[in-house]
Amino acid sequence: MPRTVNTFVVGQGELDVWLLPPPDTPRDIPMSELDAYERGRADAYRRSDDRRMYAAAHVGLRRILAVYTGIAPSRIVLAGERYDGEGRRYGRPKVLGVPGIAPEFSLSHSHGLAVVVVAEVRVGADVQRLPSAETTEACLPALHPAEQAELGGLPELERPVAFGRLWTRKEAYLKGLGTGLTRGADLDYLGEAGLAERPAGWVVGNVPLCHSHVAAVALSGSGDRRIAMRAVPPECLYAPDAVERIGALEPVLRTVVRDRGRPEPRVG
């Protein structure tokens, strides 16, 4: 919650989740706020929709981080996350040059929706559009053996949702580690049946979202984590005074991610 006129502070055991929409038109994206690396990454996408979503997500990230740091979006210096030769991410992103302790954050975007999470500990987040049955079956062999058995025991109609939830938990955890998918997806168990077998020292769980997407977060440490979710409307995110408007938004949902358990929704 806000602690000063200019900045937010996320407290111990808390996580802020921001849902970001795509812009209505490419003209809405202030590309000048991105650095050279981000602009290069945007240009590398072949599809125009993917380029626009990447650029919009990173503009949104910068404007949200401005709420926590008091630094103008275009002056925020980001480092850490990079891509290997096959397009896989590795390294944990971070903010440089912030007086005191910089906020920890993670960004993910998929098919028209971006998610930014901010915490005071190492954190990862992932959002995915719900996979098809074909994608689910094709990816099963890449999973941890216990995860394969768990999903294989479900009715076919239930597998895509269960796989989407599992995969976002796995990617959120790997992003929190900083390895991304350069670490094999079969090495760590993030299933639902054996919660005690999940990686120690991390709280990993799915968060409530719309019917078309699934999302998950991973935070280092232990203990239940309180989550405040905010949805940023397009007219707010892309306004000239976006940072001020974002800073005035109230949570649309409060929930709890249980340590080694499922999230427990709470309204209010």
Side-chain angles (χ1 to χ4, degrees):
M1 52 189 300
R3 302 295 177 84
T4 71
V5 174
N6 297 318
T7 60
F8 273 28
V9 175
V10 58
Q12 185 176 5
E14 296 179 351
L15 176 70
D16 287 347
V17 177
W18 300 85
L19 307 180
L20 309 182
D24 292 330
T25 72
R27 294 188 301 274
D28 292 333
I29 306 173
M31 297 294 292
S32 61
E33 291 187 3
L34 304 180
D35 61 24
Y37 178 79
E38 290 169 313
R39 291 193 293 271
R41 283 297 309 167
D43 290 341
Y45 283 94
R46 295 182 178 180
R47 299 179 64 251
S48 59
D49 287 348
D50 294 336
R51 287 196 300 272
R52 186 168 74 171
M53 190 68 239
Y54 177 93
H58 281 255
V59 165
L61 168 66
R62 286 175 170 273
R63 293 185 168 192
I64 287 170
L65 290 177
V67 175
Y68 292 87
T69 64
I71 301 173
S74 62
R75 294 183 176 274
I76 291 175
V77 180
L78 301 176
E81 186 179 68
R82 290 295 180 264
Y83 292 75
D84 66 11
E86 298 180 0
R88 295 176 299 190
R89 294 170 295 203
Y90 67 95
R92 291 173 50 245
K94 54 187 176 182
V95 186
L96 302 181
V98 177
I101 300 176
E104 299 278 352
F105 70 93
S106 184
L107 165 67
S108 181
H109 55 88
S110 174
H111 297 87
L113 179 64
V115 173
V116 173
V117 299
V118 182
E120 44 85 36
V121 296
R122 294 177 64 163
V123 64
D126 188 61
V127 62
Q128 301 281 343
R129 185 169 65 178
L130 278 175
S132 66
E134 292 75 17
T135 298
T136 299
E137 294 303 314
C139 293
L140 282 179
L143 299 177
H144 186 283
E147 295 168 345
Q148 294 183 43
E150 191 173 314
L151 292 177
L154 295 175
E156 289 186 12
L157 291 178
E158 296 180 15
R159 286 180 199 166
V161 173
F163 171 76
R165 288 171 54 85
L166 167 63
W167 191 258
T168 54
R169 292 194 301 271
K170 191 173 292 284
E171 282 224 41
Y173 169 66
L174 295 177
K175 289 172 71 174
L177 285 181
T179 64
L181 288 173
T182 58
R183 178 177 173 84
D186 62 328
L187 297 179
D188 305 290
Y189 174 79
L190 274 303
E192 297 273 15
L195 297 179
E197 303 304 317
R198 288 187 182 180
W202 287 85
V203 180
V204 184
N206 294 96
V207 294
L209 213 55
C210 55
H211 296 297
S212 60
H213 289 70
V214 286
V217 295
L219 299 97
S220 64
S222 60
D224 298 346
R225 301 305 173 104
R226 300 180 301 277
I227 294 179
M229 298 184 67
R230 295 174 174 85
V232 186
E235 63 273 15
C236 172
L237 185 59
Y238 301 107
D241 58 345
V243 175
E244 290 77 10
R245 292 192 183 197
I246 291 170
L249 291 174
E250 294 293 331
V252 297
L253 177 68
R254 295 187 186 275
T255 186
V256 176
V257 171
R258 299 295 182 188
D259 192 354
R260 304 205 183 192
R262 295 186 178 186
E264 177 182 301
R266 293 190 297 113
V267 178

